[in-house]
Amino acid sequence: MDFEVIFSYMPLYIEAFLLTIKIGWIGIAISIGIGIVLAFVLHFKIPFVSQIAKIYVEVFRNTPLLVQLFFIYFGLPKIGLSISAQACGAVGLGLLGGSYMTESFRSGLEAVSPSQTESALALGMTRAQLFQSVILPQACSLSVPAIVANVIFLLKETSVFSAISLMDLMFTAKDLIGLYYNTTECLFLLVIFYIIMLLPVSVLGSMVEKKARVRMFGA
Amino acid sequence: MGFEVLLKGNNMIRLLEGLGVALKISLISVSFSIVLGIILGMLMTLKNHVINVITRVYLEIVRIMPQMVLLFIVYFGATKAMGINISAETSAVIVFSFWGTAEMADLVRGSLISIPTIQYESSMALGLNRLQTYIYVIIPQIVRRMIPLSINLITRMIKTTSLVMMIGIVEVLKVGQQIIEANRKSSPNAAFGVFATILILYFIACWPISCLSKYLEKKWEN
């Protein structure tokens, strides 16, 4: 292990790290947005839209991100829909994550027991009140563990971006290995940067999960 | 649209063979993962501090390291650092088994500790010995909880094996790229058709398995 090499590569890795984080979190934001909207669509069984949502969820849950990205980045331009690599990464991750998030939010909504709805209605709450102060708070805490798992999964999936020549961590590592053949140093830095990216999320996620559980059973 | 490329020569057959390579790697890895995962999951329920610490670290590594990074470490790193030469297929199987074992062990541990102690006590009260308790009471319940989840692991494994292309294994995506390159002049729109087909092929491979897993989960819910 040559530490001089490591220090000289550091700026390149930091740049790639920032790009990976940026696109990763944009993708996650998109996926949460899609997830919330589609979970409501599926929960209230809005005709036609919910059928499309179901097909979308099944297709994206059952195909790998790498294939989806190839299709979006190389396939779609052939029929006149071309986007930049960065946008493609964010959109691809967002669409993949959206299908996972939809399932998590929906199962959270469905896990609130029907007796709660009935009791709230018996107390004379309106539909809006019922939804706002009975179902939604419980559904949110119920879906927290799944959402944390999804966020970690999506951040890990960002490593696939290198395949569409986005200058992310993986791409930088591969590039440097190819150029200078310092395999050990490059892989060491790669691991370190992924730990910096994911360990805080993992630890914070466990803490949030514990908080959500306390709120669920305590209050 | 570029679909016509697939009808030329034996392009479609090559594509299917490529999918076969990916499926083979994922099935071998899943078999390893299930066997090793069950053993590790059982070890994790023992209250041994050393085992607990080691498995916690192992699970955390798998939880936060992208599979692609692990692939690179095993395929490129091991060769450079230790001088051992592992073939691409073998390193893919090693990495995916390493990942799958952790997932499986966590599932096994989860379902083992979800059996309340009252069941062991009741079986003892009924006069069953330890072996009978396991055979008639505990294992049937665990199996019902585990089978849907392990089937789910298969689909995730199939999806993850698409990454092996990045270490130079010729599987369905690589074959697709070759077909596109070879027909660049005659059908410039091949990229759309070929990648759409690959997307559909993966969907056909994974969707029935996901449906089966969902169906079994619902059926055995109670």
Side-chain angles (χ1 to χ4, degrees):
Chain A
M1 196 88 75
D2 188 346
F3 280 94
E4 235 168 71
V5 174
I6 288 181
F7 283 120
S8 67
Y9 288 168
M10 208 62 125
L12 285 172
Y13 270 90
I14 290 174
E15 205 177 302
F17 174 70
L18 294 176
L19 182 78
T20 312
I21 285 198
K22 190 182 92 186
I23 295 176
W25 283 102
I26 293 175
I28 288 168
I30 297 175
S31 72
I32 290 177
I34 294 177
I36 291 174
V37 172
L38 291 189
F40 283 130
V41 166
L42 287 174
H43 185 69
F44 292 113
K45 299 198 173 60
I46 298 169
F48 190 63
V49 189
S50 73
Q51 261 77 26
I52 293 176
K54 254 185 208 158
I55 294 171
Y56 155 74
V57 169
E58 289 300 326
V59 168
F60 277 83
R61 275 181 75 97
N62 287 302
T63 46
L65 179 61
L66 191 58
V67 180
Q68 292 163 13
L69 286 181
F70 269 54
F71 180 68
I72 297 172
Y73 190 63
F74 298 115
L76 288 185
K78 301 293 178 198
I79 56 165
L81 256 168
S82 75
I83 49 175
S84 71
Q86 288 199 19
C88 172
V91 168
L93 195 70
L95 285 175
L96 173 84
S99 65
Y100 281 83
M101 292 288 185
T102 306
E103 285 285 285
S104 314
F105 283 119
R106 195 186 53 90
S107 61
L109 281 174
E110 270 170 19
V112 180
S113 72
S115 72
Q116 302 245 356
T117 312
E118 287 156 17
S119 321
L121 290 177
L123 284 170
M125 285 187 171
T126 61
R127 281 271 161 195
Q129 282 174 328
L130 156 76
F131 206 77
Q132 192 188 334
S133 38
V134 178
I135 294 181
L136 213 52
Q138 295 192 65
C140 283
S141 355
L142 277 169
S143 43
V144 162
I147 289 164
V148 170
N150 284 346
V151 168
I152 292 172
F153 163 74
L154 290 174
L155 280 177
K156 276 163 70 180
E157 287 286 295
T158 55
S159 58
V160 173
F161 289 164
S162 59
I164 53 165
S165 41
L166 201 64
M167 298 280 279
D168 77 330
L169 282 172
M170 205 69 218
F171 189 89
T172 308
K174 221 168 59 181
D175 216 27
L176 288 173
I177 291 173
L179 278 175
Y180 304 112
Y181 212 55
N182 290 318
T183 315
T184 323
E185 288 80 5
C186 287
L187 290 177
F188 175 73
L189 275 171
L190 185 65
V191 169
I192 294 294
F193 273 98
Y194 270 112
I195 290 175
I196 296 174
M197 185 159 109
L198 280 149
L199 197 60
V201 181
S202 172
V203 172
L204 221 75
S206 308
M207 271 160 59
V208 173
E209 260 171 55
K210 228 170 257 168
K211 271 257 165 65
R213 214 167 332 168
V214 169
R215 271 190 61 189
M216 200 57 217
F217 297 117
Chain B
M1 298 280 273
F3 286 102
E4 73 280 352
V5 181
L6 296 164
L7 301 172
K8 276 188 208 156
N10 48 7
N11 281 349
M12 192 65 202
I13 296 166
R14 281 181 59 207
L15 216 55
L16 288 174
E17 276 169 3
L19 189 68
V21 172
L23 291 182
K24 194 184 83 190
I25 292 174
S26 40
L27 285 184
I28 296 172
S29 314
V30 161
S31 327
F32 277 124
S33 310
I34 289 178
V35 174
L36 296 175
I38 289 174
I39 298 170
L40 189 69
M42 276 151 70
L43 282 179
M44 280 160 80
T45 55
L46 301 175
K47 287 180 180 69
N48 182 324
H49 278 291
V50 182
I51 293 177
N52 275 350
V53 170
I54 295 171
T55 48
R56 280 279 277 291
V57 172
Y58 170 48
L59 287 188
E60 196 60 28
I61 291 173
V62 173
R63 192 168 133 104
I64 68 171
M65 263 309 127
Q67 289 91 348
M68 187 102 104
V69 176
L70 296 175
L71 265 181
F72 268 59
I73 291 174
V74 172
Y75 188 57
F76 297 115
T79 317
K80 190 79 197 286
M82 289 179 277
I84 31 175
N85 200 356
I86 310 170
S87 78
E89 272 91 353
T90 318
S91 31
V93 170
I94 292 173
V95 167
F96 295 137
S97 307
F98 181 78
W99 168 67
T101 304
E103 296 272 331
M104 196 65 203
D106 208 26
L107 298 179
V108 173
R109 191 191 62 105
S111 44
L112 274 173
I113 59 172
S114 71
I115 306 274
T117 32
I118 201 164
Q119 302 224 3
Y120 294 91
E121 290 162 1
S122 318
S123 332
M124 254 201 289
L126 286 170
L128 299 175
N129 63 29
R130 259 194 110 73
L131 187 68
Q132 284 171 323
T133 311
Y134 272 100
I135 292 175
Y136 296 114
V137 183
I138 310 298
I139 291 176
Q141 296 186 64
I142 291 174
V143 166
R144 285 183 166 204
R145 262 171 230 194
M146 298 250 323
I147 285 179
L149 297 171
S150 357
I151 293 175
N152 214 2
L153 185 67
I154 299 175
T155 62
R156 287 169 59 204
M157 194 66 91
I158 293 174
K159 283 186 283 175
T160 317
T161 42
S162 61
L163 298 181
V164 297
M165 175 210 151
M166 306 296 285
I167 56 167
I169 296 179
V170 181
E171 46 74 78
V172 57
L173 266 175
K174 196 81 212 169
V175 173
Q177 280 183 331
Q178 288 169 354
I179 293 173
I180 293 165
E181 292 299 323
N183 297 289
R184 176 138 296 203
K185 284 271 163 56
S186 57
S187 46
N189 288 336
F192 180 78
V194 170
F195 288 132
T197 311
I198 294 173
L199 202 69
I200 295 165
L201 284 178
Y202 264 108
F203 182 71
I204 293 171
C206 291
W207 192 55
I209 307 177
S210 313
C211 286
L212 179 68
S213 147
K214 231 180 246 171
Y215 167 75
L216 289 179
E217 206 169 338
K218 267 219 180 99
K219 192 178 155 197
W220 289 337
E221 210 161 21
N222 305 310

